[in-house]
Amino acid sequence: VNKLWIVGIGPGHEDYMLPIAKEKIKAAQVLVGGKRHLAAFSDQKEKWPLKMPLEAMMTDLKKIYKEKQVAVLVSGDTGFYSMLKMVKRHFEDEDIITYPGLSSLSYMFSKLNLSYEEALMTSCHGRDITPQVFDQYPILGLLTDREHSPRWIQDQCKNRRGKIHIGLNLSYEDEVIMTYALDQEIPEIHESLCVVVVEYE
Ligand SMILES: C[S@@+](CC[C@H](N)C(=O)[O-])C[C@H]1O[C@@H](n2cnc3c(N)ncnc32)[C@H](O)[C@@H]1O
């Protein structure tokens, strides 16, 4: 009997995908994931693009996953703001196998030649981000969204000195990494594939 595979596919480019993730994706009969992620894999497979409400998709997956091998593709690492938590509300632990991936933030820190032991790594989306967070750590690694843009992050770091690094489309051909002083004017960016690292002096 099959188990549901949750596969971390890394920041995007296949060079940064673990061999085991590639192997599992190849072996799966059904791929579930964002349109962008699905497009990168063989068209011979049944593909289920994510659609809202995800709960309804989970109910549909439950009906088929034992007969057909399903791989749910998630960006970056499975253990960091991925669909894993939501999947676990619908499936028993013993029915899931998780394969990790490289997080977009760990990729970004490596590009900056920085280590992240002292950093707070979190998402700006949701309740994990409070104004205090911006003062409590020497380094922040942040997932952004349309509302919580690099500019918004810069605003939260008012009166602090240091650098803000912005990573767009990481690992893809059009990857851009920019660094500004915290008091410098930074461009308005509302890309969906964007992470920010703040490094205080
Ligand atoms: C739902 S979260 C998933 C995070 C993912 N699990 C990880 O470990 O990177 C989506 C966010 O990840 C970030 N992200 C994922 N892939 C990215 C990439 N290739 N370049 C820049 N940011 C990326 C963006 O901040 C995006 O809003």
Side-chain angles (χ1 to χ4, degrees):
V1 174
N2 294 324
K3 295 188 182 217
L4 185 73
W5 293 343
I6 315 288
V7 183
I9 63 166
H13 194 287
E14 71 156 303
D15 284 358
Y16 290 92
M17 204 181 294
L18 287 177
I20 193 159
K22 290 185 195 169
E23 194 186 297
K24 295 297 161 189
I25 292 168
K26 210 166 157 197
Q29 293 164 287
V30 180
L31 300 182
V32 179
K35 279 208 184 93
R36 180 174 56 89
H37 296 147
L38 294 180
F41 301 102
S42 158
D43 281 333
Q44 312 301 318
K45 294 184 193 295
E46 194 175 322
K47 294 184 181 178
W48 290 26
L50 293 182
K51 62 172 192 274
M52 301 296 170
L54 291 177
E55 272 67 23
M57 271 194 103
M58 292 299 120
T59 308
D60 291 343
L61 278 182
K62 267 191 155 171
K63 293 180 195 150
I64 64 141
Y65 83 103
K66 287 198 171 146
E67 282 73 48
K68 288 184 181 178
Q69 181 58 63
V70 177
V72 178
L73 313 184
V74 303
S75 75
D77 187 27
T78 50
F80 191 64
Y81 295 97
S82 83
M83 267 174 62
L84 177 60
K85 268 193 182 167
M86 201 270 293
V87 171
K88 283 187 63 168
R89 289 204 292 273
H90 296 264
F91 291 82
E92 299 297 327
D93 245 0
E94 65 209 32
D95 294 326
I96 305 173
I97 307 181
T98 299
Y99 297 95
L102 176 71
S103 173
S104 54
L105 271 179
S106 119
Y107 177 98
M108 177 73 171
F109 273 86
S110 82
K111 282 282 166 171
L112 297 169
N113 301 323
L114 284 175
S115 52
Y116 50 83
E117 300 94 7
E118 294 180 351
L120 173 74
M121 312 277 264
T122 189
S123 165
C124 290
H125 184 82
R127 63 194 144 77
D128 294 350
I129 197 93
T130 60
Q132 292 82 342
V133 155
F134 287 92
D135 268 335
Q136 282 168 350
Y137 296 84
I139 305 190
L140 302 167
L142 303 170
L143 301 178
T144 70
D145 59 29
R146 273 171 220 289
E147 190 189 335
H148 303 94
S149 65
R151 272 251 186 110
W152 179 86
I153 294 168
Q154 184 186 35
D155 280 349
Q156 314 305 307
C157 308
K158 274 212 179 89
N159 309 321
R160 298 288 305 261
R161 289 167 66 85
K163 291 182 201 154
I164 180 166
H165 309 277
I166 303 166
L168 299 173
N169 304 323
L170 296 173
S171 83
Y172 291 104
E173 318 278 274
D174 55 350
E175 165 180 302
V176 178
I177 297 180
M178 300 173 275
T179 295
Y180 296 89
L182 269 175
D183 59 2
Q184 227 177 332
E185 173 141 358
I186 65 172
E188 196 56 79
I189 295 163
H190 293 283
E191 300 269 345
S192 56
L193 286 184
C194 173
V195 299
V196 166
V197 170
V198 174
E199 213 187 337
Y200 293 124
E201 256 168 33

